[in-house]
């Protein structure tokens, strides 16, 4: 029996992972992007379990909040710097691929630290590694948007990202089942330690091997309009420049800020709610996560088609409304089965909001200053990422996890209202 040629199989897969009508280089870029996504999906299968791991180790509410806020601390300080840096690079592909590798590999470093250190130091060690990981993550947050936009262009953003995030969803859904079974069959905490190290190695290596082969035209390094001085002075200077030059960008980001504030408030609460209120086991949490990833994939299939018939504004309003209600329904849930259904429904709408937020942001960003403007948007996001989780986990000690979830739902509803009643609606 003749075995299939691996190179021929890869070529056939390349054709299936890209739309028709692309050049050879564009088709290759789509393929490499999807394979990079497969590597991300492999490693990110363990991501939902890191906070669960910390909770099972006895981490406090504040430590869980700090875990979720740490990327925001680094991003708030470094996003503008990363934007200025990338704006002056002829090619950001090497920086993207290297940062992706380091970021995914840090899950393995967390597992190794937990394996080697005494239990009483494990929580602090994981938080320390997470802090170091936030540096490449900050560069990735800027580089990803710029690179995906360069690959797809205005007409192809929905197609590229829906395919990419579907790949992450498929791989993540399958691997999350595997993670749950591994965690259930090996004693604690060795189960988490081995899982973090194994999946980090597989995912980081796969991602790097393909991401570094993405080929986009080298650009001309551009001036960044970058002020000097302390970070707050730079933020004020950037704000004045953007307010004068890019009102659509300001309008969209301002409305998104209100909605996203609610998202960062509820972000650290779900893991705590699963463990402390629902008393969910690792297997049950893996099932919840698998359903979430699987329904995300369906969402990435549905929303690009709805955009063609209903337009972006329909997607923007329907997704922000549905996800505004999700934390409130979570706060009223007392059964794992009901929670699993809610997570699945929310995942479909989350796919839509991921696509529409990216697309609407890039519509307002000048092509010749994309790295700079994306970094500014990320700085605003990072400020919320710092304040939201710490605030919510602290106030949860006063009003309970359910009350904090309702508070986050209120912020999201306010963001939905701003999008609904804005005279400057998003393009259809």
């Amino acid at each position: 029996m003749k075995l299939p040629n691996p190179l021929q199989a890869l070529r056939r897969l390349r054709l299936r992972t890209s739309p028709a009508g692309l050049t050879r280089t564009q088709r290759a870029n789509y393929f490499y992007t999807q394979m990079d996504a497969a590597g991300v999906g492999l490693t990110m299968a363990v991501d939902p379990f890191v906070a669960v791991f910390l909770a099972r180790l006895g981490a406090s509410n504040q430590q869980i909040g700090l875990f979720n806020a740490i990327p925001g601390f680094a991003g708030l300080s470094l996003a503008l710097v990363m934007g200025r840096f990338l704006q002056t690079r002829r090619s950001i592909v090497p920086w993207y691929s290297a940062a992706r590798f380091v970021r995914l590999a840090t899950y393995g470093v967390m597992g190794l630290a937990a394996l080697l250190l005494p239990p009483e130091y494990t929580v602090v060690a994981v938080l320390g590694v997470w802090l170091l990981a936030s540096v490449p993550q900050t560069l990735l947050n800027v580089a990803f948007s710029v690179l995906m936009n360069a690959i797809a262009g205005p007409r192809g953003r929905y197609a590229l990202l829906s395919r990419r995030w579907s790949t992450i969803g498929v791989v993540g859904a399958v691997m999350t089942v595997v993670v749950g079974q591994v965690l259930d069959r090996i004693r604690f905490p060795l189960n988490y330690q081995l899982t973090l190290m194994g999946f980090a190695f597989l995912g980081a290596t796969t991602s790097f091997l393909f991401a570094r082969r993405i080929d986009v035209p080298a650009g001309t390094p551009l001036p960044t309009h970058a002020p000097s001085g302390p970070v707050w002075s730079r933020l004020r200077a950037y704000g004045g420049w953007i307010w004068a030059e890019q009102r659509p960008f300001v309008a969209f980001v301002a409305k998104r800020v209100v909605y996203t504030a609610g998202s960062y408030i509820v972000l650290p609460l779900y893991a705590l709610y699963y463990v402390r209120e629902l008393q969910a086991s690792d297997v049950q949490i893996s099932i919840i996560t698998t359903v979430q990833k699987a329904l995300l994939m369906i969402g990435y299939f549905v929303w690009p088609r709805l955009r063609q018939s209903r337009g972006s504004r329909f997607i923007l309003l329907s997704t922000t409304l549905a996800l505004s209600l999700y934390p409130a329904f979570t706060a009223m849930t007392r059964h794992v089965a009901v929670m699993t259904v809610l997570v699945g429904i929310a995942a479909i709408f989350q796919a839509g909001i991921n696509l529409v937020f990216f697309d609407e942001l890039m519509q307002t960003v000048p092509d010749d200053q994309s790295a700079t403007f994306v970094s500014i948007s990320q700085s605003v996001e990072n400020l919320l990422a710092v304040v939201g989780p710490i605030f919510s986990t602290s106030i949860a000690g006063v009003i309970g996890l359910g009350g904090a979830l309702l508070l986050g739902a209120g912020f999201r509803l306010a963001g939905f209202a701003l999008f609904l009643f804005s005279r400057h609606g998003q393009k259809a």
Side-chain angles (χ1 to χ4, degrees):
M1 179 178 177
K2 185 178 180 180
L3 295 176
N5 187 323
L7 291 178
Q8 291 179 350
L10 283 177
R11 291 191 187 100
R12 287 195 295 268
L13 182 60
R14 179 184 298 183
L15 290 172
R16 294 171 182 171
T17 55
S18 59
L22 300 181
T23 66
R24 184 175 180 178
T25 299
Q26 290 172 329
R27 188 178 295 115
N29 284 340
Y30 267 73
F31 171 72
Y32 297 142
T33 300
Q34 306 318 308
M35 295 304 294
D36 167 40
V40 174
L42 277 170
T43 298
M44 296 307 287
V46 303
D47 181 73
F49 294 94
V50 178
V52 176
F53 183 37
L54 292 174
R56 296 200 188 286
L57 287 170
S60 65
N61 283 6
Q62 287 71 29
Q63 286 174 319
I64 297 295
L66 181 61
F67 172 77
N68 285 276
I70 277 174
F73 281 113
L76 183 61
S77 302
L78 297 176
L80 294 177
V81 176
M82 296 298 185
R84 292 167 57 188
F85 174 78
L86 292 173
Q87 190 69 62
T88 60
R89 303 299 98 182
R90 292 186 61 84
S91 174
I92 66 172
V93 171
W95 301 98
Y96 170 83
S97 58
R100 178 68 76 189
F101 176 83
V102 174
R103 173 65 178 82
L104 296 179
T106 53
Y107 287 96
V109 178
M110 286 191 286
L112 182 63
L115 179 67
L116 298 179
L117 294 175
E120 59 269 25
Y121 297 115
T122 300
V123 173
V124 175
V126 170
L127 292 175
V129 174
W130 196 239
L131 176 62
L132 295 176
S134 63
V135 177
Q137 180 62 58
T138 302
L139 189 147
L140 272 175
N141 289 341
V142 178
F144 173 81
S145 297
V146 176
L147 184 60
M148 295 303 111
N149 191 54
I151 292 172
R155 294 182 178 274
R157 287 192 287 253
Y158 265 74
L160 176 65
L161 291 179
S162 64
R163 290 165 188 263
R164 176 183 173 83
W165 288 333
S166 293
T167 301
I168 293 175
V170 171
V171 175
V174 173
M175 291 298 105
T176 299
V177 174
V178 177
V179 170
Q181 295 302 315
V182 171
L183 294 178
D184 191 50
R185 284 168 167 74
I186 303 176
R187 63 179 175 84
F188 180 86
L190 185 62
N191 52 354
Y192 281 89
Q193 296 159 354
L194 294 179
T195 300
L196 287 168
M197 288 188 291
F199 279 83
F201 172 77
L202 290 174
T205 303
T206 301
S207 171
F208 179 74
L209 289 176
F210 289 97
R212 69 188 183 89
R213 302 187 68 179
I214 294 173
D215 181 18
V216 295
T220 302
L222 296 169
T224 62
H225 303 279
S228 58
V231 68
W232 291 111
S233 298
R234 281 181 279 152
L235 284 173
R236 286 195 298 269
Y238 268 121
W241 171 53
I242 295 170
W243 179 259
E245 300 292 335
Q246 296 294 330
R247 294 295 179 88
F249 174 82
V250 173
F252 175 74
V253 170
K255 287 176 283 191
R256 193 181 63 175
V257 159
V258 178
Y259 176 86
T260 307
S263 299
Y264 281 112
I265 286 174
V266 301
L267 177 65
L269 303 178
Y270 293 120
L272 292 171
Y273 199 83
Y274 296 162
V275 173
R276 297 178 184 175
E277 298 293 331
L278 298 181
Q279 300 292 311
S281 66
D282 286 331
V283 171
Q284 289 173 322
I285 293 173
S286 74
I287 292 172
I288 291 173
T289 306
T290 299
V291 169
Q292 181 185 46
K293 293 179 183 297
L295 272 294
L296 270 171
M297 178 187 64
I298 294 176
Y300 288 129
F301 176 82
V302 169
W303 293 111
R305 287 155 180 78
L306 280 176
R307 180 178 183 266
Q308 294 176 1
S309 60
R310 303 298 299 271
S312 289
R313 183 167 176 80
F314 169 79
I315 298 176
L316 182 67
L317 296 179
S318 59
T319 55
T320 50
L321 175 59
L323 291 175
S324 295
L325 301 175
Y326 172 54
F329 283 122
T330 298
M332 296 183 286
T333 301
R334 295 294 181 269
H335 301 285
V336 173
V338 177
M339 189 70 249
T340 304
V341 174
L342 286 176
V343 166
I345 295 172
I348 295 176
F349 287 95
Q350 186 63 53
I353 209 167
N354 290 344
L355 291 169
V356 75
F357 271 8
F358 178 83
D359 187 61
E360 296 294 322
L361 174 66
M362 297 311 295
Q363 286 186 39
T364 68
V365 169
D367 290 337
D368 62 345
Q369 292 288 337
S370 56
T372 299
F373 274 78
V374 169
S375 70
I376 293 166
S377 175
Q378 287 295 324
S379 293
V380 177
E381 290 277 313
N382 287 321
L383 178 60
L384 298 175
V386 170
V387 176
I390 294 177
F391 170 74
S392 63
T393 51
S394 298
I395 200 171
V398 179
I399 64 176
L401 290 172
L405 285 167
L406 290 174
L407 180 64
F411 271 90
R412 282 185 168 185
L413 279 171
F416 160 74
L418 289 175
F419 284 118
L420 177 63
F421 296 112
S422 172
R423 293 182 178 181
H424 303 284
Q426 303 307 311
K427 297 178 182 178

